[in-house]
Amino acid sequence: MTEPAKLQLDGKSFEFPVIVGSEDEHAIDISALRSKTGYITLDDGYGNTGSCESAITFIDGEKGILRYRGIPIEQLAEHSTFVETAWLLIWGELPTKAQLARFSDLLTSHEMLHEGLYRHFDGFPPSGHPMAILSAMINAVSCYHPDILLNDMHNFDDSAARLLSKVRTIAAAAFKTSIGQPIVYPKPKFDYCSNFMHMMFSIPFKECEPDPDVVRALNQIFILHADHEQNCSTSTVRMVASSGANLFASCSAGVCALWGPLHGGANAAVLDMLEHIHVNKIDLKDYVAKVKDKTSGIRLMGFGHRVYKNYDPRAKILKAAADKILDKLKVNDPLLAIARQLEEAALKDSYFKDRNLYPNVDFYSGIIMRAIGLPVNMFTVLFAIGRMPGWIAHWKEMHDQKSRIQRPRQVYTGYQPRDYVAVDKRG
Ligand code: SDX
């Protein structure tokens, strides 16, 4: 039994239990803090606050370790597929051959959208951002499947497969609508990632024949993005789910949180940054100097992380994958060279070293997505497709844990009591 934490407050001594996780994470359980002491805690950005106990993903930020259900990300990226990793995250074990076959069939059975949903895309302007469309259409799907709203866990497997399968179809339909091409329907002959490429790049008179290396790279991108503990968007999904909101509503909220440039939107912001440097022939030393100058308001996008104070293991894998896929596709992207030079300059610079700022998952992912033909405004959409199994897994875990509604406290800093003043007396 671990020694309790002791707290001295207003001349009194209090004790709080210490929880120890399976990877030796120590947490002080302050569930009774306010009732015992009258105090609450304040933790800007929740950098020191655990919102839950979870068995899905483990990160050791100091050592640059990431594991899904105990399996190192490097092994999954090397040997697994996105569909297999999705099963692992959601149901906790690597699937047997029979389970994987059944899950793949279930995903295939859900890959189409109701015809009424396809008509929604006519209503979006071509300039509509695909993340806005993705969030809206995920909720729209639940209008055609009211059973989803019941949160009946007996239907969970079907709802999870429906969401995971359709998120890909919605994303591709949004892309096609934005470029004025007819929406392409999924084909059961394709596996998950090949079907996505088919729906993205086939045209009426020429079916896309997905390059196996591109499909492999897409599997890796989705695997690497599949979950990441209590990041901003996953915490959003858990917050929304805690009110009893259904799986689709919770994950639709996750899409919105992911969209921000400090989170999943960073992969697009990295490409914008590299493009800006390239087009304007900006000297990298000058750019890095601007990043270090706080008054510039410029950040090195794709660098830094709340948890990783070491190289993000996903960035390492993506850096190698970028080389491989660009070489295979014979793409000579000047932005990759700029990215490498920026990384080299930053990793030598004390400003970044002193703050433990390293490339994160977003620094190289966009280079690969651009090489396989995706426009920048689809990069965060791919992040959302990849993160979907993680969001689904956390939604399920909350239901299995019968978690309470999340309702943080605050420290009030506004007016003390004052009276209402009639409008003609307000001066
Ligand atoms: C993702 O949480 C997750 O797990 C997220 C994610 C996932 O898989 O879900 O990993 C995906 O969101 C990756 C991060 C993508 N975002 C970016 O690449 C945007 C650029 N990075 C940052 O804005 C920043 O590093 C964050 C948002 C990622 C982390 O922010 P923190 O933890 O709040 O750190 P901070 O802003 O308090 O910075 C600490 C210091 C500050 O300097 P000082 O005040 O100490 O002098 O580091 C500096 C910051 O100014 N700093 C940067 C920087 N990131 C932090 N300076 C320049 N460039 C940067 N990118």
Side-chain angles (χ1 to χ4, degrees), residues 182-201:
I183 289 172
V184 173
Y185 283 40
K187 281 193 171 175
K189 72 176 183 180
F190 288 121
D191 63 34
Y192 190 93
C193 290
S194 304
N195 223 341
F196 178 64
M197 296 298 286
H198 158 64
M199 290 188 279
M200 287 286 292
F201 299 116

PDB file of all heavy atoms in Angstrom, residues 182-201:
ATOM      1  N   PRO A 182     -17.503  14.318 -59.317  1.00  0.00           N
ATOM      2  CA  PRO A 182     -18.611  13.504 -58.756  1.00  0.00           C
ATOM      3  C   PRO A 182     -18.124  12.655 -57.585  1.00  0.00           C
ATOM      4  O   PRO A 182     -16.987  12.191 -57.591  1.00  0.00           O
ATOM      5  CB  PRO A 182     -19.047  12.617 -59.921  1.00  0.00           C
ATOM      6  CG  PRO A 182     -17.967  12.667 -60.931  1.00  0.00           C
ATOM      7  CD  PRO A 182     -17.207  13.942 -60.711  1.00  0.00           C
ATOM      8  N   ILE A 183     -18.973  12.501 -56.591  1.00  0.00           N
ATOM      9  CA  ILE A 183     -18.644  11.666 -55.426  1.00  0.00           C
ATOM     10  C   ILE A 183     -18.488  10.224 -55.897  1.00  0.00           C
ATOM     11  O   ILE A 183     -19.252   9.751 -56.754  1.00  0.00           O
ATOM     12  CB  ILE A 183     -19.757  11.784 -54.361  1.00  0.00           C
ATOM     13  CG1 ILE A 183     -19.698  13.177 -53.714  1.00  0.00           C
ATOM     14  CG2 ILE A 183     -19.627  10.694 -53.302  1.00  0.00           C
ATOM     15  CD1 ILE A 183     -20.866  13.481 -52.776  1.00  0.00           C
ATOM     16  N   VAL A 184     -17.454   9.555 -55.400  1.00  0.00           N
ATOM     17  CA  VAL A 184     -17.182   8.154 -55.783  1.00  0.00           C
ATOM     18  C   VAL A 184     -17.646   7.238 -54.653  1.00  0.00           C
ATOM     19  O   VAL A 184     -17.304   7.453 -53.482  1.00  0.00           O
ATOM     20  CB  VAL A 184     -15.679   7.958 -56.054  1.00  0.00           C
ATOM     21  CG1 VAL A 184     -15.343   6.497 -56.274  1.00  0.00           C
ATOM     22  CG2 VAL A 184     -15.252   8.804 -57.254  1.00  0.00           C
ATOM     23  N   TYR A 185     -18.438   6.225 -55.023  1.00  0.00           N
ATOM     24  CA  TYR A 185     -18.946   5.282 -54.016  1.00  0.00           C
ATOM     25  C   TYR A 185     -17.861   4.256 -53.654  1.00  0.00           C
ATOM     26  O   TYR A 185     -17.021   3.935 -54.481  1.00  0.00           O
ATOM     27  CB  TYR A 185     -20.187   4.561 -54.559  1.00  0.00           C
ATOM     28  CG  TYR A 185     -21.453   5.399 -54.526  1.00  0.00           C
ATOM     29  CD1 TYR A 185     -21.412   6.755 -54.858  1.00  0.00           C
ATOM     30  CD2 TYR A 185     -22.677   4.865 -54.156  1.00  0.00           C
ATOM     31  CE1 TYR A 185     -22.573   7.541 -54.843  1.00  0.00           C
ATOM     32  CE2 TYR A 185     -23.842   5.627 -54.129  1.00  0.00           C
ATOM     33  CZ  TYR A 185     -23.771   6.973 -54.480  1.00  0.00           C
ATOM     34  OH  TYR A 185     -24.913   7.755 -54.455  1.00  0.00           O
ATOM     35  N   PRO A 186     -17.885   3.784 -52.406  1.00  0.00           N
ATOM     36  CA  PRO A 186     -16.905   2.763 -51.995  1.00  0.00           C
ATOM     37  C   PRO A 186     -17.121   1.456 -52.742  1.00  0.00           C
ATOM     38  O   PRO A 186     -18.207   1.223 -53.278  1.00  0.00           O
ATOM     39  CB  PRO A 186     -17.189   2.582 -50.507  1.00  0.00           C
ATOM     40  CG  PRO A 186     -18.593   3.038 -50.292  1.00  0.00           C
ATOM     41  CD  PRO A 186     -18.846   4.092 -51.312  1.00  0.00           C
ATOM     42  N   LYS A 187     -16.066   0.631 -52.767  1.00  0.00           N
ATOM     43  CA  LYS A 187     -16.180  -0.687 -53.417  1.00  0.00           C
ATOM     44  C   LYS A 187     -15.730  -1.779 -52.449  1.00  0.00           C
ATOM     45  O   LYS A 187     -14.626  -1.687 -51.903  1.00  0.00           O
ATOM     46  CB  LYS A 187     -15.337  -0.741 -54.689  1.00  0.00           C
ATOM     47  CG  LYS A 187     -15.996  -0.058 -55.880  1.00  0.00           C
ATOM     48  CD  LYS A 187     -15.303  -0.393 -57.195  1.00  0.00           C
ATOM     49  CE  LYS A 187     -16.134   0.142 -58.370  1.00  0.00           C
ATOM     50  NZ  LYS A 187     -15.414  -0.061 -59.653  1.00  0.00           N
ATOM     51  N   PRO A 188     -16.561  -2.783 -52.227  1.00  0.00           N
ATOM     52  CA  PRO A 188     -16.240  -3.858 -51.271  1.00  0.00           C
ATOM     53  C   PRO A 188     -14.945  -4.600 -51.598  1.00  0.00           C
ATOM     54  O   PRO A 188     -14.330  -5.173 -50.717  1.00  0.00           O
ATOM     55  CB  PRO A 188     -17.430  -4.807 -51.366  1.00  0.00           C
ATOM     56  CG  PRO A 188     -18.519  -4.047 -52.019  1.00  0.00           C
ATOM     57  CD  PRO A 188     -17.876  -2.991 -52.862  1.00  0.00           C
ATOM     58  N   LYS A 189     -14.493  -4.513 -52.848  1.00  0.00           N
ATOM     59  CA  LYS A 189     -13.263  -5.259 -53.186  1.00  0.00           C
ATOM     60  C   LYS A 189     -12.031  -4.653 -52.527  1.00  0.00           C
ATOM     61  O   LYS A 189     -10.985  -5.300 -52.420  1.00  0.00           O
ATOM     62  CB  LYS A 189     -13.070  -5.304 -54.696  1.00  0.00           C
ATOM     63  CG  LYS A 189     -12.669  -3.990 -55.326  1.00  0.00           C
ATOM     64  CD  LYS A 189     -12.397  -4.124 -56.825  1.00  0.00           C
ATOM     65  CE  LYS A 189     -11.918  -2.808 -57.427  1.00  0.00           C
ATOM     66  NZ  LYS A 189     -11.632  -2.888 -58.865  1.00  0.00           N
ATOM     67  N   PHE A 190     -12.149  -3.385 -52.120  1.00  0.00           N
ATOM     68  CA  PHE A 190     -10.978  -2.703 -51.549  1.00  0.00           C
ATOM     69  C   PHE A 190     -10.899  -2.856 -50.024  1.00  0.00           C
ATOM     70  O   PHE A 190     -11.941  -2.881 -49.346  1.00  0.00           O
ATOM     71  CB  PHE A 190     -11.050  -1.199 -51.868  1.00  0.00           C
ATOM     72  CG  PHE A 190     -10.785  -0.857 -53.318  1.00  0.00           C
ATOM     73  CD1 PHE A 190     -11.743  -0.190 -54.069  1.00  0.00           C
ATOM     74  CD2 PHE A 190      -9.578  -1.187 -53.929  1.00  0.00           C
ATOM     75  CE1 PHE A 190     -11.510   0.143 -55.403  1.00  0.00           C
ATOM     76  CE2 PHE A 190      -9.334  -0.860 -55.256  1.00  0.00           C
ATOM     77  CZ  PHE A 190     -10.303  -0.192 -55.994  1.00  0.00           C
ATOM     78  N   ASP A 191      -9.711  -2.894 -49.481  1.00  0.00           N
ATOM     79  CA  ASP A 191      -9.551  -2.854 -48.008  1.00  0.00           C
ATOM     80  C   ASP A 191      -9.744  -1.400 -47.553  1.00  0.00           C
ATOM     81  O   ASP A 191      -9.907  -0.501 -48.390  1.00  0.00           O
ATOM     82  CB  ASP A 191      -8.186  -3.404 -47.597  1.00  0.00           C
ATOM     83  CG  ASP A 191      -7.025  -2.554 -48.145  1.00  0.00           C
ATOM     84  OD1 ASP A 191      -7.192  -1.307 -48.250  1.00  0.00           O
ATOM     85  OD2 ASP A 191      -5.983  -3.122 -48.488  1.00  0.00           O
ATOM     86  N   TYR A 192      -9.670  -1.174 -46.249  1.00  0.00           N
ATOM     87  CA  TYR A 192     -10.028   0.126 -45.679  1.00  0.00           C
ATOM     88  C   TYR A 192      -9.283   1.280 -46.364  1.00  0.00           C
ATOM     89  O   TYR A 192      -9.904   2.223 -46.870  1.00  0.00           O
ATOM     90  CB  TYR A 192      -9.722   0.147 -44.168  1.00  0.00           C
ATOM     91  CG  TYR A 192     -10.264   1.354 -43.452  1.00  0.00           C
ATOM     92  CD1 TYR A 192     -11.518   1.323 -42.831  1.00  0.00           C
ATOM     93  CD2 TYR A 192      -9.555   2.552 -43.413  1.00  0.00           C
ATOM     94  CE1 TYR A 192     -12.032   2.441 -42.187  1.00  0.00           C
ATOM     95  CE2 TYR A 192     -10.063   3.672 -42.783  1.00  0.00           C
ATOM     96  CZ  TYR A 192     -11.303   3.613 -42.168  1.00  0.00           C
ATOM     97  OH  TYR A 192     -11.822   4.721 -41.544  1.00  0.00           O
ATOM     98  N   CYS A 193      -7.968   1.218 -46.388  1.00  0.00           N
ATOM     99  CA  CYS A 193      -7.174   2.344 -46.906  1.00  0.00           C
ATOM    100  C   CYS A 193      -7.246   2.437 -48.428  1.00  0.00           C
ATOM    101  O   CYS A 193      -7.315   3.534 -48.987  1.00  0.00           O
ATOM    102  CB  CYS A 193      -5.737   2.236 -46.448  1.00  0.00           C
ATOM    103  SG  CYS A 193      -5.547   2.542 -44.681  1.00  0.00           S
ATOM    104  N   SER A 194      -7.277   1.289 -49.097  1.00  0.00           N
ATOM    105  CA  SER A 194      -7.391   1.305 -50.571  1.00  0.00           C
ATOM    106  C   SER A 194      -8.730   1.899 -50.986  1.00  0.00           C
ATOM    107  O   SER A 194      -8.810   2.662 -51.955  1.00  0.00           O
ATOM    108  CB  SER A 194      -7.263  -0.110 -51.133  1.00  0.00           C
ATOM    109  OG  SER A 194      -6.054  -0.683 -50.713  1.00  0.00           O
ATOM    110  N   ASN A 195      -9.777   1.592 -50.237  1.00  0.00           N
ATOM    111  CA  ASN A 195     -11.110   2.128 -50.542  1.00  0.00           C
ATOM    112  C   ASN A 195     -11.104   3.645 -50.383  1.00  0.00           C
ATOM    113  O   ASN A 195     -11.709   4.369 -51.175  1.00  0.00           O
ATOM    114  CB  ASN A 195     -12.149   1.515 -49.595  1.00  0.00           C
ATOM    115  CG  ASN A 195     -13.426   1.116 -50.340  1.00  0.00           C
ATOM    116  OD1 ASN A 195     -13.687   1.596 -51.441  1.00  0.00           O
ATOM    117  ND2 ASN A 195     -14.199   0.238 -49.729  1.00  0.00           N
ATOM    118  N   PHE A 196     -10.388   4.126 -49.371  1.00  0.00           N
ATOM    119  CA  PHE A 196     -10.299   5.571 -49.167  1.00  0.00           C
ATOM    120  C   PHE A 196      -9.600   6.207 -50.372  1.00  0.00           C
ATOM    121  O   PHE A 196     -10.076   7.213 -50.914  1.00  0.00           O
ATOM    122  CB  PHE A 196      -9.556   5.895 -47.871  1.00  0.00           C
ATOM    123  CG  PHE A 196      -9.387   7.365 -47.609  1.00  0.00           C
ATOM    124  CD1 PHE A 196     -10.499   8.181 -47.408  1.00  0.00           C
ATOM    125  CD2 PHE A 196      -8.127   7.953 -47.609  1.00  0.00           C
ATOM    126  CE1 PHE A 196     -10.355   9.555 -47.192  1.00  0.00           C
ATOM    127  CE2 PHE A 196      -7.976   9.324 -47.396  1.00  0.00           C
ATOM    128  CZ  PHE A 196      -9.091  10.112 -47.192  1.00  0.00           C
ATOM    129  N   MET A 197      -8.498   5.614 -50.809  1.00  0.00           N
ATOM    130  CA  MET A 197      -7.786   6.155 -51.973  1.00  0.00           C
ATOM    131  C   MET A 197      -8.679   6.101 -53.206  1.00  0.00           C
ATOM    132  O   MET A 197      -8.714   7.032 -54.012  1.00  0.00           O
ATOM    133  CB  MET A 197      -6.508   5.348 -52.242  1.00  0.00           C
ATOM    134  CG  MET A 197      -5.472   5.401 -51.150  1.00  0.00           C
ATOM    135  SD  MET A 197      -4.850   7.071 -50.871  1.00  0.00           S
ATOM    136  CE  MET A 197      -3.818   7.273 -52.318  1.00  0.00           C
ATOM    137  N   HIS A 198      -9.432   5.012 -53.337  1.00  0.00           N
ATOM    138  CA  HIS A 198     -10.375   4.871 -54.477  1.00  0.00           C
ATOM    139  C   HIS A 198     -11.408   5.999 -54.449  1.00  0.00           C
ATOM    140  O   HIS A 198     -11.622   6.694 -55.459  1.00  0.00           O
ATOM    141  CB  HIS A 198     -11.063   3.510 -54.394  1.00  0.00           C
ATOM    142  CG  HIS A 198     -12.368   3.424 -55.115  1.00  0.00           C
ATOM    143  ND1 HIS A 198     -12.479   3.573 -56.492  1.00  0.00           N
ATOM    144  CD2 HIS A 198     -13.645   3.222 -54.639  1.00  0.00           C
ATOM    145  CE1 HIS A 198     -13.762   3.447 -56.830  1.00  0.00           C
ATOM    146  NE2 HIS A 198     -14.485   3.246 -55.722  1.00  0.00           N
ATOM    147  N   MET A 199     -12.003   6.242 -53.304  1.00  0.00           N
ATOM    148  CA  MET A 199     -13.048   7.271 -53.197  1.00  0.00           C
ATOM    149  C   MET A 199     -12.476   8.670 -53.363  1.00  0.00           C
ATOM    150  O   MET A 199     -13.141   9.580 -53.833  1.00  0.00           O
ATOM    151  CB  MET A 199     -13.769   7.158 -51.847  1.00  0.00           C
ATOM    152  CG  MET A 199     -14.650   5.925 -51.717  1.00  0.00           C
ATOM    153  SD  MET A 199     -15.654   5.961 -50.219  1.00  0.00           S
ATOM    154  CE  MET A 199     -14.492   5.393 -48.995  1.00  0.00           C
ATOM    155  N   MET A 200     -11.174   8.817 -53.031  1.00  0.00           N
ATOM    156  CA  MET A 200     -10.540  10.137 -53.150  1.00  0.00           C
ATOM    157  C   MET A 200     -10.106  10.405 -54.598  1.00  0.00           C
ATOM    158  O   MET A 200     -10.265  11.519 -55.104  1.00  0.00           O
ATOM    159  CB  MET A 200      -9.291  10.200 -52.264  1.00  0.00           C
ATOM    160  CG  MET A 200      -9.537  10.297 -50.781  1.00  0.00           C
ATOM    161  SD  MET A 200     -10.123  11.930 -50.289  1.00  0.00           S
ATOM    162  CE  MET A 200      -8.667  12.915 -50.615  1.00  0.00           C
ATOM    163  N   PHE A 201      -9.574   9.388 -55.283  1.00  0.00           N
ATOM    164  CA  PHE A 201      -8.874   9.675 -56.540  1.00  0.00           C
ATOM    165  C   PHE A 201      -9.437   8.988 -57.779  1.00  0.00           C
ATOM    166  O   PHE A 201      -8.971   9.251 -58.892  1.00  0.00           O
ATOM    167  CB  PHE A 201      -7.381   9.340 -56.382  1.00  0.00           C
ATOM    168  CG  PHE A 201      -6.693  10.155 -55.313  1.00  0.00           C
ATOM    169  CD1 PHE A 201      -6.165   9.540 -54.177  1.00  0.00           C
ATOM    170  CD2 PHE A 201      -6.624  11.537 -55.409  1.00  0.00           C
ATOM    171  CE1 PHE A 201      -5.544  10.290 -53.173  1.00  0.00           C
ATOM    172  CE2 PHE A 201      -6.021  12.298 -54.418  1.00  0.00           C
ATOM    173  CZ  PHE A 201      -5.476  11.680 -53.303  1.00  0.00           C
TER     174      PHE A 201
END
